[in-house]
Tab-separated table of all heavy atoms in Angstrom:
chain	number	residue	atom	x	y	z
U	183	SER	N	14.913	10.991	17.054
U	183	SER	CA	15.427	9.893	16.240
U	183	SER	C	15.349	8.561	17.012
U	183	SER	O	15.129	7.518	16.410
U	183	SER	CB	16.862	10.164	15.814
U	183	SER	OG	17.774	9.938	16.920
U	184	HIS	N	15.467	8.637	18.314
U	184	HIS	CA	15.346	7.400	19.076
U	184	HIS	C	13.885	6.882	19.061
U	184	HIS	O	13.649	5.703	18.845
U	184	HIS	CB	15.822	7.550	20.502
U	184	HIS	CG	15.748	6.251	21.251
U	184	HIS	ND1	16.590	5.229	20.973
U	184	HIS	CD2	14.820	5.811	22.107
U	184	HIS	CE1	16.197	4.167	21.738
U	184	HIS	NE2	15.143	4.536	22.398
U	185	GLU	N	12.987	7.831	19.311
U	185	GLU	CA	11.563	7.424	19.313
U	185	GLU	C	11.187	6.775	17.961
U	185	GLU	O	10.563	5.728	17.894
U	185	GLU	CB	10.669	8.629	19.556
U	185	GLU	CG	10.919	9.285	20.912
U	185	GLU	CD	9.979	10.457	21.180
U	185	GLU	OE1	8.915	10.578	20.561
U	185	GLU	OE2	10.395	11.299	22.063
U	186	ALA	N	11.601	7.442	16.892
U	186	ALA	CA	11.218	6.970	15.542
U	186	ALA	C	11.933	5.671	15.199
U	186	ALA	O	11.311	4.737	14.672
U	186	ALA	CB	11.567	8.057	14.532
U	187	SER	N	13.203	5.572	15.559
U	187	SER	CA	13.951	4.359	15.127
U	187	SER	C	13.488	3.142	15.963
U	187	SER	O	13.391	2.047	15.463
U	187	SER	CB	15.424	4.543	15.199
U	187	SER	OG	15.838	5.019	16.431
U	188	ALA	N	13.122	3.388	17.218
U	188	ALA	CA	12.588	2.290	18.046
U	188	ALA	C	11.274	1.799	17.473
U	188	ALA	O	11.025	0.594	17.410
U	188	ALA	CB	12.462	2.706	19.476
U	189	LEU	N	10.443	2.721	17.042
U	189	LEU	CA	9.140	2.360	16.475
U	189	LEU	C	9.368	1.591	15.163
U	189	LEU	O	8.765	0.569	14.906
U	189	LEU	CB	8.323	3.615	16.230
U	189	LEU	CG	6.898	3.387	15.687
U	189	LEU	CD1	6.048	2.628	16.664
U	189	LEU	CD2	6.236	4.753	15.345
U	190	ALA	N	10.285	2.092	14.370
U	190	ALA	CA	10.582	1.425	13.063
U	190	ALA	C	11.089	-0.021	13.271
U	190	ALA	O	10.673	-0.908	12.583
U	190	ALA	CB	11.627	2.224	12.279
U	191	GLY	N	11.953	-0.145	14.271
U	191	GLY	CA	12.497	-1.505	14.537
U	191	GLY	C	11.349	-2.423	15.024
U	191	GLY	O	11.249	-3.568	14.579
U	192	HIS	N	10.537	-1.876	15.931
U	192	HIS	CA	9.445	-2.673	16.412
U	192	HIS	C	8.452	-3.105	15.362
U	192	HIS	O	7.992	-4.237	15.329
U	192	HIS	CB	8.679	-1.858	17.476
U	192	HIS	CG	7.471	-2.560	18.016
U	192	HIS	ND1	7.552	-3.613	18.842
U	192	HIS	CD2	6.150	-2.346	17.760
U	192	HIS	CE1	6.325	-4.023	19.126
U	192	HIS	NE2	5.460	-3.284	18.474
U	193	LEU	N	8.236	-2.215	14.410
U	193	LEU	CA	7.266	-2.511	13.304
U	193	LEU	C	7.961	-3.248	12.166
U	193	LEU	O	7.340	-3.500	11.118
U	193	LEU	CB	6.601	-1.240	12.825
U	193	LEU	CG	5.623	-0.553	13.805
U	193	LEU	CD1	5.088	0.774	13.235
U	193	LEU	CD2	4.457	-1.500	14.085
U	194	LYS	N	9.269	-3.509	12.290
U	194	LYS	CA	10.018	-4.269	11.296
U	194	LYS	C	9.844	-3.612	9.882
U	194	LYS	O	9.510	-4.305	8.896
U	194	LYS	CB	9.594	-5.720	11.243
U	194	LYS	CG	9.934	-6.471	12.517
U	194	LYS	CD	9.801	-7.983	12.303
U	194	LYS	CE	10.340	-8.826	13.452
U	194	LYS	NZ	9.846	-8.492	14.759
U	195	LEU	N	10.068	-2.341	9.818
U	195	LEU	CA	9.908	-1.627	8.584
U	195	LEU	C	11.138	-1.896	7.678
U	195	LEU	O	12.025	-1.059	7.537
U	195	LEU	CB	9.717	-0.136	8.838
U	195	LEU	CG	8.498	0.203	9.675
U	195	LEU	CD1	8.454	1.729	10.017
U	195	LEU	CD2	7.191	-0.210	8.998
U	196	ASN	N	11.110	-3.007	7.062
U	196	ASN	CA	12.354	-3.469	6.382
U	196	ASN	C	12.586	-2.762	5.053
U	196	ASN	O	13.610	-3.031	4.386
U	196	ASN	CB	12.320	-4.998	6.165
U	196	ASN	CG	11.204	-5.410	5.210
U	196	ASN	OD1	10.205	-4.705	5.115
U	196	ASN	ND2	11.348	-6.522	4.538
U	197	LYS	N	11.689	-1.884	4.660
U	197	LYS	CA	11.909	-1.147	3.420
U	197	LYS	C	12.417	0.255	3.697
U	197	LYS	O	12.449	1.113	2.832
U	197	LYS	CB	10.646	-1.155	2.581
U	197	LYS	CG	10.329	-2.595	2.202
U	197	LYS	CD	9.000	-2.698	1.523
U	197	LYS	CE	9.251	-2.449	0.019
U	197	LYS	NZ	8.005	-2.595	-0.709
U	198	LEU	N	12.768	0.467	4.957
U	198	LEU	CA	13.365	1.728	5.371
U	198	LEU	C	14.881	1.570	5.458
U	198	LEU	O	15.373	0.679	6.180
U	198	LEU	CB	12.798	2.111	6.745
U	198	LEU	CG	13.383	3.370	7.414
U	198	LEU	CD1	13.119	4.612	6.609
U	198	LEU	CD2	12.774	3.479	8.813
U	199	ILE	N	15.584	2.396	4.763
U	199	ILE	CA	17.061	2.294	4.720
U	199	ILE	C	17.689	3.651	5.049
U	199	ILE	O	17.452	4.623	4.355
U	199	ILE	CB	17.540	1.791	3.346
U	199	ILE	CG1	16.903	0.396	3.048
U	199	ILE	CG2	19.056	1.739	3.263
U	199	ILE	CD1	17.115	-0.082	1.622
U	200	VAL	N	18.399	3.708	6.166
U	200	VAL	CA	19.028	4.965	6.551
U	200	VAL	C	20.514	4.922	6.272
U	200	VAL	O	21.225	3.999	6.677
U	200	VAL	CB	18.760	5.216	8.045
U	200	VAL	CG1	19.520	6.452	8.550
U	200	VAL	CG2	17.278	5.433	8.333
U	201	LEU	N	20.926	5.906	5.522
U	201	LEU	CA	22.393	6.087	5.282
U	201	LEU	C	22.863	7.160	6.224
U	201	LEU	O	22.454	8.355	6.119
U	201	LEU	CB	22.594	6.469	3.798
U	201	LEU	CG	22.209	5.399	2.829
U	201	LEU	CD1	21.713	5.972	1.504
U	201	LEU	CD2	23.384	4.475	2.545
U	202	PHE	N	23.654	6.770	7.205
U	202	PHE	CA	24.114	7.666	8.214
U	202	PHE	C	25.469	8.327	7.734
U	202	PHE	O	26.446	7.609	7.495
U	202	PHE	CB	24.277	6.931	9.537
U	202	PHE	CG	25.096	7.598	10.610
U	202	PHE	CD1	25.072	8.978	10.779
U	202	PHE	CD2	25.867	6.851	11.502
U	202	PHE	CE1	25.822	9.624	11.771
U	202	PHE	CE2	26.596	7.442	12.512
U	202	PHE	CZ	26.575	8.823	12.614
Side-chain angles (χ1 to χ4, degrees):
S183 76
H184 182 72
E185 298 181 23
S187 54
L189 183 63
H192 175 72
L193 291 176
K194 295 193 170 52
L195 301 174
N196 65 334
K197 299 174 85 177
L198 173 64
I199 299 170
V200 173
L201 294 148
F202 164 35

